[in-house]
Amino acid sequence: MLRDKHILVGVTGSIAAYKAAMLVRALVKGGAEVKIVMTPLAKEFITPLTLATLAKNPILVDFFNPENGEWNSHVSLGEWADAYVIAPATANTLAKMAHGIADNLLLTTYLSARCPVFVAPAMDLDMYAHVTTCQNIAMLRSHGVHIIEPEEGELASGLSGKGRMAEADEIAACLSSFFEKEMTLQGKRFLVTAGPTVEAIDPVRYISNHSTGKMGYAIATELASRGAEVILVSGPVSLPVPTGVRRVDVVSAKEMFEASMAAFADVDGAVMCAAVADYTPANPENSKIKRKDDIVLQLKPTKDIAAELGRVKGEKLLIGFALETDNEETNAKGKLERKNLDYVVLNSLRDEGAGFGVDTNKITVIGRDGTAIAYPLESKAQAASHIVSLVENFFKK
Ligand code: CTP
């Protein structure tokens, strides 16, 4: 799957830089064309000559060639690449990437790259476990960067733990399976709903819920990474638009209903991940409600978007979610029936690490025939990958 792919390898200043040589060799052997950008410090760990010889391309480090003033364009490097893999990625580079610092060519290229970006962190175990590194990695993940987890083992410091960069073959395999995946949903279009809805009480107050949109965004990301066209109808969240996804911003359940119905006409399937308000104020006020003793807020039900799509779905694929606090499986199966879903993805707020805000989820996918597959607690990206594999299988039939 690497044949003729343009892979840009970024190398930063870590002992693990020697493994970059093996990575470049594996990529070239796999048929990829490889270009390399290094940070100035990376040159202290591995020579540009070694990497340039293996890549069969000159190495780029500076913004311009000091001998002739020729500009090394980070923009064209980013445009050239089908994938950008930064291996090894130090804690320093990960932090700069997460915060948009662009003080070397490797980082400016990251900021301007439109292609998928992979990082293979390499550092000492305490640096890897440090709260700021964890936050930076979580932030990068939420920005759509693919994290190739380091392994446990002996580290350069002499200590042993998690922080050793993944082996070159594993990184190459990761890229290869990414490109393999990319093909499977090409030509298909999907609607994904995500995030909360916000229902105005007056111009100042509203009713909403704790949804952050992470699960829906992970699904949209995964669908797009397998080549699908994705329309993401999203309530207000603070996540960036995933690469290759078209986002339609909505606020209220009514707006989400209208945008979803419009998009559904033209898609092959939909994954309903949004936490849609079931009720909205019956008479939202145009001016701020003033403080008084008691207030009775009259609510009216909103439209059930998934159920409405279920009514008109025909042969299209419809997947819904069920976030439950009790009687989980019975409630989820009830939703599958009531909304005419093909699959319902159950997650329980009783499971630690599942639900709103967190980066992990524990899902059980229930099909129409009653079969249920329970997955362990894993990242939302991994959970999304299981769900999208179901989507893939549905269209293979
Ligand atoms: N859903 C929707 N429109 C609504 C309510 C829910 O599209 N107005 C979708 C959700 O996106 C999810 C599924 O229906 O895919 C189940 O949502 P959930 O809130 O768990 O269920 P409800 O049907 O609202 O039932 P309840 O709140 O009673 O659990």
Side-chain angles (χ1 to χ4, degrees):
M1 291 317 293
L2 292 172
R3 181 143 306 281
D4 298 329
K5 294 287 181 215
H6 289 177
I7 313 280
L8 183 62
V9 176
V11 184
T12 71
S14 154
I15 288 290
Y18 76 91
K19 289 188 187 171
M22 272 115 65
L23 173 62
V24 171
R25 196 159 161 266
L27 296 174
V28 171
K29 257 177 103 178
E33 190 182 340
V34 178
K35 287 189 181 176
I36 298 171
V37 52
M38 297 174 84
T39 61
L41 191 61
K43 291 197 296 183
E44 305 292 330
F45 290 88
I46 184 162
T47 69
L49 177 63
T50 306
L51 292 178
T53 310
L54 292 168
K56 303 185 180 77
N57 265 321
I59 303 301
L60 299 161
V61 178
D62 300 309
F63 288 110
F64 60 89
N65 181 338
E67 268 145 42
N68 59 13
E70 192 186 326
W71 181 243
N72 290 327
S73 167
H74 54 90
V75 177
S76 49
L77 270 178
E79 278 175 354
W80 171 85
D82 294 312
Y84 185 16
V85 52
I86 300 172
T90 58
N92 184 42
T93 289
L94 293 172
K96 288 179 178 178
M97 287 170 72
H99 295 279
I101 297 170
D103 59 359
N104 61 44
L105 186 65
L106 181 143
L107 291 163
T108 48
T109 304
Y110 164 65
L111 284 180
S112 48
R114 292 185 185 160
C115 61
V117 178
F118 296 76
V119 293
M123 64 198 78
D124 195 49
L125 78 162
D126 292 315
M127 288 175 87
Y128 187 69
H130 196 281
V131 61
T132 50
T133 307
C134 296
Q135 282 170 354
N136 289 334
I137 289 179
M139 201 184 289
L140 288 173
R141 195 172 263 135
S142 75
H143 296 171
V145 174
H146 301 261
I147 313 290
I148 304 173
E149 297 273 335
E151 294 166 357
E152 303 244 352
E154 204 180 304
L155 300 162
S157 60
L159 297 171
S160 186
K162 192 166 179 179
R164 203 167 76 169
M165 186 174 92
E167 294 303 326
D169 285 344
E170 198 199 316
I171 299 172
C174 197
L175 286 167
S176 180
S177 71
F178 174 81
F179 287 118
E180 193 175 14
K181 266 194 331 194
E182 206 179 25
M183 305 302 144
T184 51
L185 290 172
Q186 206 132 43
K188 296 273 179 249
R189 289 166 63 97
F190 295 95
L191 159 70
V192 177
T193 65
T197 65
V198 170
E199 312 299 321
I201 297 171
D202 69 13
V204 181
R205 291 83 166 207
Y206 59 80
I207 299 173
S208 191
N209 58 64
H210 296 300
S211 171
T212 54
K214 285 183 178 174
M215 193 65 237
Y217 275 58
I219 291 172
T221 304
E222 185 67 22
L223 285 166
S225 79
R226 298 196 201 186
E229 249 183 81
V230 184
I231 302 164
L232 176 61
V233 175
S234 174
V237 296
S238 54
L239 299 173
V241 185
T243 315
V245 167
R246 183 155 74 80
R247 185 169 76 180
V248 178
D249 290 312
V250 296
V251 176
S252 64
K254 184 168 182 287
E255 285 174 15
M256 187 170 274
F257 171 76
E258 283 161 7
S260 302
M261 290 307 277
F264 195 63
D266 211 18
V267 294
D268 298 286
V271 186
M272 312 303 287
C273 221
V276 189
D278 287 325
Y279 293 93
T280 191
N283 304 299
E285 298 290 339
N286 290 327
S287 38
K288 189 179 173 197
I289 300 170
K290 288 293 165 198
R291 189 184 170 94
K292 44 194 161 192
D293 287 343
D294 287 336
I295 276 189
V296 177
L297 193 60
Q298 197 179 350
L299 303 175
K300 61 176 185 190
T302 57
K303 284 206 171 118
D304 187 326
I305 308 168
E308 292 290 331
L309 299 187
R311 254 189 275 284
V312 298
K313 83 181 208 49
E315 296 300 300
K316 291 180 185 184
L317 170 66
L318 188 60
I319 300 180
F321 269 72
L323 177 62
E324 304 295 340
T325 54
D326 39 55
N327 285 331
E328 286 88 343
E329 206 157 319
T330 312
N331 284 337
K333 283 182 176 161
K335 284 174 190 174
L336 181 120
E337 289 297 327
R338 217 169 42 248
K339 302 182 191 227
N340 193 23
L341 305 172
D342 295 290
Y343 293 98
V344 66
V345 182
L346 163 66
N347 41 184
S348 170
L349 272 189
R350 283 201 287 189
D351 286 326
E352 207 176 311
F356 294 129
V358 288
D359 287 317
T360 49
N361 207 354
K362 189 161 183 274
I363 59 165
T364 301
V365 181
I366 305 171
R368 249 175 207 285
D369 56 0
T371 48
I373 309 172
Y375 295 96
L377 183 71
E378 53 197 356
S379 71
K380 283 189 171 161
Q382 281 166 319
S385 144
H386 297 309
I387 294 164
V388 174
S389 293
L390 272 179
V391 173
E392 243 174 56
N393 288 337
F394 181 88
F395 289 102
K396 269 190 208 150
K397 282 179 204 159

